[in-house]
Amino acid sequence: PGHFRFLCNGETVLHLEIQHGWQHRGVEALFLSKAKLIQRTVLSESIAGDTAVGHSLAFVSLMESLGKITVPERLEKERTMALELERIAMHLGDLGNVNVGMAYQLASSVFGTLRTPVINYTQTWCGNRFGKGLNRVGGTYYPFNRELADKLNTLLDTVEKTAIPMADKLFSLPSFLMRSETIGSVTAEQMQLIGAVGMTARAAAVTRDIRQSHPFAAYKDHVIPTQTLEQGDVWARMMLRHLETQDAVRFVRDLSGHLNFESPLPRPTLEKDLTLTPDSICISLVEGWRGEICHSAITGSDGSVVHYKVKDPSFHNWFALALSLRDLEISDFPINNKSYNLSYCGFDL
């Protein structure tokens, strides 16, 4: 699904041409041809497998807006917790994966094995490791409960006690610093010119965070800090993951402590009970772990969806990888690529 052409002078990369999206998966067309609500919901979870919670949250929020459905505050908090758990899991996995590229086995093993209990917890919650089935229009089949809350606190304690000491060791190693500092730097001006979003932009001092600029779900009442760094290099992209993981752990723990388990949650809205507003356009924004996710829909005179558009954060950020390779040795490509971990399938719609 990915095509890279390196233009080099010897071992030095002059420019990297990136060509993605030529398989044309037809995702957006399927949102029109698959008219049943459950089909569209499952489709939204399959846009990018590692962002099932983020994309499905964008979809159900869109349908709820068009259907004039208001969900309880408790459900918004639970959806937000699931989104932040996805962020924790993927950041930990990426911290491990980058260290595979650096041949630092200890860090790759520690971070990699931390990712597993986080996604396994999501499976305990809803039956799927990546959160498929959790987000449904108007309600949920998997309400959070006290037993899950107790298991969550134990999990978050484990993440903190293991990830923070490992990160402290990693970011103090001269060999790691040599392979990450000033490698693959992109400036704030370049990020602004290409419209970079999310973590990629924030690692280069560009504050782009939908949770702050367009608060949604529980972020409207519970603020999570936005971390930014200035270097825009491999070190910054890795450090930002570590910082965001710590923030997400604290945020999820705080949200779970504010849940009212006595407040009942509705079952998901049945298709026969969902009527979309006719002749309307609706836009849904979610800050996924990679960055800004955007879903938009246009309805016709009968309320049917006549146009559906999806934008994954990778649409903005792939060119940042090309910029970060300029004047570097071609051997630096793998570590740069891993430090972004952009989506191929999220781009190919």
Side-chain angles (χ1 to χ4, degrees):
H3 177 92
F4 299 97
R5 176 180 292 155
F6 297 86
L7 306 180
C8 299
N9 179 16
E11 294 294 313
T12 302
V13 178
L14 301 179
H15 182 60
L16 169 62
E17 292 181 359
I18 302 175
Q19 180 184 342
H20 294 337
W22 43 268
Q23 292 194 120
H24 301 299
R25 296 163 64 208
V27 171
E28 293 171 335
L30 285 172
F31 273 108
L32 302 181
S33 62
K34 302 295 184 182
K36 293 185 179 299
L37 178 60
I38 186 61
Q39 291 176 316
R40 289 172 172 168
T41 306
V42 171
L43 180 61
S44 71
E45 296 172 328
S46 307
I47 292 171
D50 56 15
T51 318
V53 175
H55 274 288
S56 62
L57 179 56
F59 170 77
V60 299
S61 300
L62 189 71
M63 292 295 105
E64 287 164 356
S65 294
L66 285 171
K68 292 183 167 55
I69 298 172
T70 302
V71 298
E73 180 183 351
R74 175 186 166 187
L75 181 56
E76 288 195 330
K77 289 179 180 178
E78 293 185 10
R79 288 175 173 178
T80 306
M81 288 167 55
L83 186 66
E84 291 300 323
L85 282 171
E86 183 173 72
R87 191 183 315 278
I88 293 169
M90 298 310 151
H91 280 355
L92 290 172
D94 283 348
L95 284 168
N97 194 32
V98 171
N99 279 285
V100 171
M102 291 189 177
Y104 184 30
Q105 187 175 6
L106 176 61
S108 67
S109 298
V110 170
F111 287 121
T113 53
L114 271 179
R115 170 184 175 272
T116 301
V118 179
I119 61 176
N120 282 351
Y121 176 83
T122 305
Q123 184 173 27
T124 302
W125 184 355
C126 68
N128 184 275
R129 301 172 86 200
F130 295 99
K132 293 183 178 182
L134 192 57
N135 289 326
R136 290 295 182 263
V137 174
T140 182
Y141 293 114
Y142 303 100
F144 204 73
N145 55 43
R146 296 189 186 280
E147 181 182 357
L148 286 170
D150 292 339
K151 291 181 179 179
L152 177 62
N153 286 325
T154 301
L155 169 67
L156 296 178
D157 288 343
T158 300
V159 170
E160 282 187 319
K161 291 176 182 177
T162 309
I164 292 177
M166 185 68 255
D168 289 342
K169 181 175 180 63
L170 174 67
F171 289 105
S172 64
L173 281 178
S175 56
F176 165 75
L177 298 176
M178 182 184 68
R179 289 294 292 126
S180 62
E181 289 186 320
T182 72
I183 301 297
S185 297
V186 184
T187 66
E189 181 182 8
Q190 288 174 317
M191 290 297 193
Q192 290 171 334
L193 286 172
I194 68 173
V197 299
M199 184 186 61
T200 297
R202 295 194 292 271
V206 178
T207 306
R208 292 290 299 272
D209 191 337
I210 296 300
R211 296 172 297 179
Q212 311 295 345
S213 60
H214 300 78
F216 59 97
Y219 301 113
K220 291 178 287 188
D221 301 308
H222 301 265
V223 178
I224 186 170
T226 296
Q227 300 281 359
T228 57
L229 297 171
E230 296 182 355
Q231 293 89 330
D233 53 10
V234 171
W235 179 90
R237 291 187 282 276
M238 292 187 69
M239 174 60 80
L240 195 64
R241 283 181 169 86
H242 173 55
L243 296 176
E244 289 193 354
T245 298
Q246 293 182 69
D247 289 338
V249 166
R250 289 189 288 266
F251 187 73
V252 170
R253 184 183 283 120
D254 180 63
L255 268 188
S256 66
H258 283 87
L259 283 178
N260 179 9
F261 296 110
E262 307 305 321
S263 174
L265 288 178
R267 301 276 285 181
T269 302
L270 299 178
E271 184 168 358
K272 65 182 180 64
D273 298 324
L274 179 64
T275 302
L276 304 183
T277 306
D279 296 321
S280 300
I281 181 171
C282 189
I283 298 173
S284 176
L285 293 174
V286 167
E287 184 71 21
W289 65 271
R290 280 192 182 93
E292 170 190 314
I293 298 169
C294 179
H295 284 219
S296 61
I298 298 175
T299 58
S301 58
D302 60 350
S304 62
V305 178
V306 297
H307 185 73
Y308 201 94
K309 186 67 180 175
V310 177
K311 183 189 65 61
D312 186 87
S314 297
F315 271 91
H316 294 270
N317 294 340
W318 270 113
F319 196 65
L321 172 62
L323 293 174
S324 67
L325 259 290
R326 291 181 179 178
D327 297 324
L328 288 184
E329 292 186 7
I330 194 170
S331 58
D332 286 320
F333 170 74
I335 193 67
N336 268 284
N337 192 24
K338 289 176 184 292
S339 73
Y340 286 101
N341 188 14
L342 302 174
S343 178
Y344 297 86
C345 57
F347 190 98
D348 193 0
L349 301 175

mmCIF file of all heavy atoms in Angstrom, residues 239-265:
data_model
loop_
_atom_site.group_PDB
_atom_site.id
_atom_site.type_symbol
_atom_site.label_atom_id
_atom_site.label_comp_id
_atom_site.label_asym_id
_atom_site.label_seq_id
_atom_site.Cartn_x
_atom_site.Cartn_y
_atom_site.Cartn_z
ATOM 1 N N MET A 239 9.612 11.474 22.668
ATOM 2 C CA MET A 239 9.360 12.085 23.973
ATOM 3 C C MET A 239 7.903 12.513 24.100
ATOM 4 O O MET A 239 7.278 12.368 25.156
ATOM 5 C CB MET A 239 10.287 13.276 24.182
ATOM 6 C CG MET A 239 10.010 14.072 25.464
ATOM 7 S SD MET A 239 10.165 13.088 26.987
ATOM 8 C CE MET A 239 11.949 13.089 27.204
ATOM 9 N N LEU A 240 7.343 13.030 23.012
ATOM 10 C CA LEU A 240 5.950 13.463 23.051
ATOM 11 C C LEU A 240 5.026 12.283 23.329
ATOM 12 O O LEU A 240 4.047 12.407 24.063
ATOM 13 C CB LEU A 240 5.572 14.140 21.733
ATOM 14 C CG LEU A 240 4.271 14.940 21.766
ATOM 15 C CD1 LEU A 240 4.374 16.113 22.719
ATOM 16 C CD2 LEU A 240 3.896 15.421 20.371
ATOM 17 N N ARG A 241 5.331 11.139 22.763
ATOM 18 C CA ARG A 241 4.528 9.940 23.055
ATOM 19 C C ARG A 241 4.577 9.605 24.541
ATOM 20 O O ARG A 241 3.564 9.249 25.144
ATOM 21 C CB ARG A 241 5.036 8.752 22.232
ATOM 22 C CG ARG A 241 4.608 8.762 20.775
ATOM 23 C CD ARG A 241 5.164 7.519 20.066
ATOM 24 N NE ARG A 241 4.570 7.352 18.750
ATOM 25 C CZ ARG A 241 5.011 7.921 17.643
ATOM 26 N NH1 ARG A 241 6.070 8.715 17.703
ATOM 27 N NH2 ARG A 241 4.413 7.709 16.476
ATOM 28 N N HIS A 242 5.760 9.702 25.108
ATOM 29 C CA HIS A 242 5.913 9.406 26.531
ATOM 30 C C HIS A 242 5.114 10.388 27.378
ATOM 31 O O HIS A 242 4.391 9.990 28.304
ATOM 32 C CB HIS A 242 7.391 9.447 26.897
ATOM 33 C CG HIS A 242 7.674 9.325 28.361
ATOM 34 N ND1 HIS A 242 7.201 8.265 29.122
ATOM 35 C CD2 HIS A 242 8.353 10.146 29.225
ATOM 36 C CE1 HIS A 242 7.591 8.416 30.380
ATOM 37 N NE2 HIS A 242 8.276 9.544 30.456
ATOM 38 N N LEU A 243 5.207 11.682 27.062
ATOM 39 C CA LEU A 243 4.490 12.696 27.823
ATOM 40 C C LEU A 243 2.975 12.540 27.679
ATOM 41 O O LEU A 243 2.228 12.654 28.660
ATOM 42 C CB LEU A 243 4.908 14.093 27.359
ATOM 43 C CG LEU A 243 6.379 14.474 27.587
ATOM 44 C CD1 LEU A 243 6.666 15.843 26.981
ATOM 45 C CD2 LEU A 243 6.723 14.458 29.072
ATOM 46 N N GLU A 244 2.516 12.273 26.461
ATOM 47 C CA GLU A 244 1.078 12.114 26.237
ATOM 48 C C GLU A 244 0.553 10.851 26.910
ATOM 49 O O GLU A 244 -0.598 10.826 27.357
ATOM 50 C CB GLU A 244 0.777 12.094 24.741
ATOM 51 C CG GLU A 244 0.954 13.446 24.070
ATOM 52 C CD GLU A 244 0.361 13.488 22.666
ATOM 53 O OE1 GLU A 244 -0.091 12.429 22.165
ATOM 54 O OE2 GLU A 244 0.338 14.584 22.070
ATOM 55 N N THR A 245 1.369 9.827 26.983
ATOM 56 C CA THR A 245 0.954 8.611 27.685
ATOM 57 C C THR A 245 0.727 8.898 29.161
ATOM 58 O O THR A 245 -0.281 8.478 29.748
ATOM 59 C CB THR A 245 2.012 7.506 27.524
ATOM 60 O OG1 THR A 245 2.145 7.169 26.138
ATOM 61 C CG2 THR A 245 1.614 6.257 28.293
ATOM 62 N N GLN A 246 1.643 9.632 29.779
ATOM 63 C CA GLN A 246 1.480 9.974 31.193
ATOM 64 C C GLN A 246 0.226 10.823 31.420
ATOM 65 O O GLN A 246 -0.533 10.586 32.370
ATOM 66 C CB GLN A 246 2.719 10.734 31.681
ATOM 67 C CG GLN A 246 3.997 9.917 31.712
ATOM 68 C CD GLN A 246 5.163 10.721 32.246
ATOM 69 O OE1 GLN A 246 5.217 11.059 33.428
ATOM 70 N NE2 GLN A 246 6.107 11.060 31.373
ATOM 71 N N ASP A 247 0.017 11.798 30.550
ATOM 72 C CA ASP A 247 -1.182 12.647 30.677
ATOM 73 C C ASP A 247 -2.451 11.823 30.522
ATOM 74 O O ASP A 247 -3.432 12.020 31.253
ATOM 75 C CB ASP A 247 -1.159 13.758 29.635
ATOM 76 C CG ASP A 247 -0.109 14.820 29.935
ATOM 77 O OD1 ASP A 247 0.298 14.928 31.102
ATOM 78 O OD2 ASP A 247 0.290 15.535 28.989
ATOM 79 N N ALA A 248 -2.445 10.905 29.550
ATOM 80 C CA ALA A 248 -3.634 10.091 29.304
ATOM 81 C C ALA A 248 -3.929 9.164 30.472
ATOM 82 O O ALA A 248 -5.093 8.952 30.829
ATOM 83 C CB ALA A 248 -3.452 9.277 28.014
ATOM 84 N N VAL A 249 -2.891 8.613 31.086
ATOM 85 C CA VAL A 249 -3.081 7.748 32.255
ATOM 86 C C VAL A 249 -3.760 8.517 33.379
ATOM 87 O O VAL A 249 -4.744 8.042 33.980
ATOM 88 C CB VAL A 249 -1.729 7.168 32.726
ATOM 89 C CG1 VAL A 249 -1.866 6.552 34.117
ATOM 90 C CG2 VAL A 249 -1.223 6.120 31.738
ATOM 91 N N ARG A 250 -3.263 9.704 33.655
ATOM 92 C CA ARG A 250 -3.858 10.523 34.716
ATOM 93 C C ARG A 250 -5.285 10.934 34.362
ATOM 94 O O ARG A 250 -6.179 10.943 35.218
ATOM 95 C CB ARG A 250 -2.992 11.761 34.967
ATOM 96 C CG ARG A 250 -1.663 11.460 35.647
ATOM 97 C CD ARG A 250 -0.958 12.732 36.065
ATOM 98 N NE ARG A 250 -0.424 13.456 34.913
ATOM 99 C CZ ARG A 250 0.831 13.318 34.468
ATOM 100 N NH1 ARG A 250 1.662 12.476 35.069
ATOM 101 N NH2 ARG A 250 1.253 14.016 33.439
ATOM 102 N N PHE A 251 -5.513 11.254 33.103
ATOM 103 C CA PHE A 251 -6.827 11.714 32.654
ATOM 104 C C PHE A 251 -7.858 10.592 32.754
ATOM 105 O O PHE A 251 -8.975 10.794 33.242
ATOM 106 C CB PHE A 251 -6.719 12.209 31.210
ATOM 107 C CG PHE A 251 -7.966 12.854 30.686
ATOM 108 C CD1 PHE A 251 -8.348 14.113 31.116
ATOM 109 C CD2 PHE A 251 -8.754 12.208 29.750
ATOM 110 C CE1 PHE A 251 -9.497 14.722 30.628
ATOM 111 C CE2 PHE A 251 -9.894 12.804 29.252
ATOM 112 C CZ PHE A 251 -10.272 14.064 29.692
ATOM 113 N N VAL A 252 -7.495 9.385 32.301
ATOM 114 C CA VAL A 252 -8.414 8.247 32.356
ATOM 115 C C VAL A 252 -8.733 7.883 33.800
ATOM 116 O O VAL A 252 -9.882 7.606 34.152
ATOM 117 C CB VAL A 252 -7.829 7.031 31.601
ATOM 118 C CG1 VAL A 252 -8.662 5.777 31.853
ATOM 119 C CG2 VAL A 252 -7.757 7.323 30.112
ATOM 120 N N ARG A 253 -7.717 7.902 34.658
ATOM 121 C CA ARG A 253 -7.944 7.598 36.072
ATOM 122 C C ARG A 253 -8.902 8.615 36.695
ATOM 123 O O ARG A 253 -9.806 8.264 37.458
ATOM 124 C CB ARG A 253 -6.613 7.574 36.820
ATOM 125 C CG ARG A 253 -6.766 7.179 38.288
ATOM 126 C CD ARG A 253 -5.453 7.229 39.021
ATOM 127 N NE ARG A 253 -4.601 6.083 38.718
ATOM 128 C CZ ARG A 253 -3.396 6.155 38.174
ATOM 129 N NH1 ARG A 253 -2.898 7.343 37.854
ATOM 130 N NH2 ARG A 253 -2.683 5.072 37.942
ATOM 131 N N ASP A 254 -8.727 9.885 36.339
ATOM 132 C CA ASP A 254 -9.593 10.932 36.873
ATOM 133 C C ASP A 254 -11.028 10.769 36.358
ATOM 134 O O ASP A 254 -11.983 10.897 37.128
ATOM 135 C CB ASP A 254 -9.041 12.303 36.478
ATOM 136 C CG ASP A 254 -9.904 13.445 36.994
ATOM 137 O OD1 ASP A 254 -10.034 13.593 38.222
ATOM 138 O OD2 ASP A 254 -10.473 14.183 36.161
ATOM 139 N N LEU A 255 -11.177 10.490 35.064
ATOM 140 C CA LEU A 255 -12.516 10.325 34.497
ATOM 141 C C LEU A 255 -13.253 9.151 35.121
ATOM 142 O O LEU A 255 -14.442 9.238 35.428
ATOM 143 C CB LEU A 255 -12.429 10.122 32.979
ATOM 144 C CG LEU A 255 -12.522 11.342 32.077
ATOM 145 C CD1 LEU A 255 -12.615 10.903 30.627
ATOM 146 C CD2 LEU A 255 -13.686 12.232 32.439
ATOM 147 N N SER A 256 -12.559 8.034 35.289
ATOM 148 C CA SER A 256 -13.209 6.857 35.869
ATOM 149 C C SER A 256 -13.677 7.135 37.294
ATOM 150 O O SER A 256 -14.680 6.581 37.751
ATOM 151 C CB SER A 256 -12.258 5.653 35.852
ATOM 152 O OG SER A 256 -11.138 5.863 36.702
ATOM 153 N N GLY A 257 -12.960 8.025 37.986
ATOM 154 C CA GLY A 257 -13.362 8.379 39.346
ATOM 155 C C GLY A 257 -14.571 9.289 39.394
ATOM 156 O O GLY A 257 -15.189 9.437 40.456
ATOM 157 N N HIS A 258 -14.921 9.897 38.253
ATOM 158 C CA HIS A 258 -16.069 10.800 38.197
ATOM 159 C C HIS A 258 -17.300 10.134 37.576
ATOM 160 O O HIS A 258 -18.304 10.808 37.352
ATOM 161 C CB HIS A 258 -15.729 12.056 37.380
ATOM 162 C CG HIS A 258 -14.878 13.043 38.131
ATOM 163 N ND1 HIS A 258 -13.500 12.964 38.151
ATOM 164 C CD2 HIS A 258 -15.205 14.123 38.896
ATOM 165 C CE1 HIS A 258 -13.022 13.964 38.879
ATOM 166 N NE2 HIS A 258 -14.026 14.672 39.344
ATOM 167 N N LEU A 259 -17.228 8.842 37.319
ATOM 168 C CA LEU A 259 -18.366 8.160 36.708
ATOM 169 C C LEU A 259 -19.449 7.881 37.744
ATOM 170 O O LEU A 259 -19.170 7.460 38.867
ATOM 171 C CB LEU A 259 -17.922 6.830 36.077
ATOM 172 C CG LEU A 259 -17.186 6.913 34.738
ATOM 173 C CD1 LEU A 259 -16.774 5.520 34.296
ATOM 174 C CD2 LEU A 259 -18.041 7.571 33.675
ATOM 175 N N ASN A 260 -20.677 8.089 37.338
ATOM 176 C CA ASN A 260 -21.828 7.775 38.188
ATOM 177 C C ASN A 260 -22.414 6.441 37.711
ATOM 178 O O ASN A 260 -23.171 6.389 36.753
ATOM 179 C CB ASN A 260 -22.873 8.890 38.099
ATOM 180 C CG ASN A 260 -24.097 8.592 38.955
ATOM 181 O OD1 ASN A 260 -24.113 7.653 39.750
ATOM 182 N ND2 ASN A 260 -25.135 9.397 38.794
ATOM 183 N N PHE A 261 -22.032 5.365 38.397
ATOM 184 C CA PHE A 261 -22.465 4.040 37.958
ATOM 185 C C PHE A 261 -23.956 3.816 38.158
ATOM 186 O O PHE A 261 -24.528 2.876 37.605
ATOM 187 C CB PHE A 261 -21.665 2.957 38.696
ATOM 188 C CG PHE A 261 -20.201 2.969 38.396
ATOM 189 C CD1 PHE A 261 -19.278 3.356 39.357
ATOM 190 C CD2 PHE A 261 -19.736 2.601 37.144
ATOM 191 C CE1 PHE A 261 -17.919 3.372 39.083
ATOM 192 C CE2 PHE A 261 -18.377 2.609 36.853
ATOM 193 C CZ PHE A 261 -17.472 3.001 37.826
ATOM 194 N N GLU A 262 -24.575 4.649 38.966
ATOM 195 C CA GLU A 262 -26.007 4.500 39.211
ATOM 196 C C GLU A 262 -26.834 5.099 38.080
ATOM 197 O O GLU A 262 -28.030 4.817 37.955
ATOM 198 C CB GLU A 262 -26.388 5.178 40.538
ATOM 199 C CG GLU A 262 -25.550 4.732 41.739
ATOM 200 C CD GLU A 262 -25.570 3.226 41.935
ATOM 201 O OE1 GLU A 262 -26.648 2.618 41.731
ATOM 202 O OE2 GLU A 262 -24.510 2.660 42.273
ATOM 203 N N SER A 263 -26.197 5.939 37.268
ATOM 204 C CA SER A 263 -26.907 6.559 36.146
ATOM 205 C C SER A 263 -27.032 5.558 35.001
ATOM 206 O O SER A 263 -26.014 5.103 34.465
ATOM 207 C CB SER A 263 -26.155 7.806 35.678
ATOM 208 O OG SER A 263 -26.737 8.341 34.517
ATOM 209 N N PRO A 264 -28.238 5.183 34.603
ATOM 210 C CA PRO A 264 -28.393 4.161 33.552
ATOM 211 C C PRO A 264 -27.968 4.691 32.189
ATOM 212 O O PRO A 264 -28.054 5.892 31.907
ATOM 213 C CB PRO A 264 -29.896 3.868 33.584
ATOM 214 C CG PRO A 264 -30.519 5.121 34.100
ATOM 215 C CD PRO A 264 -29.536 5.692 35.075
ATOM 216 N N LEU A 265 -27.486 3.779 31.363
ATOM 217 C CA LEU A 265 -27.096 4.131 30.004
ATOM 218 C C LEU A 265 -28.076 3.524 29.009
ATOM 219 O O LEU A 265 -28.505 2.380 29.172
ATOM 220 C CB LEU A 265 -25.682 3.622 29.698
ATOM 221 C CG LEU A 265 -24.536 4.371 30.385
ATOM 222 C CD1 LEU A 265 -23.204 3.738 30.029
ATOM 223 C CD2 LEU A 265 -24.536 5.841 30.001
#
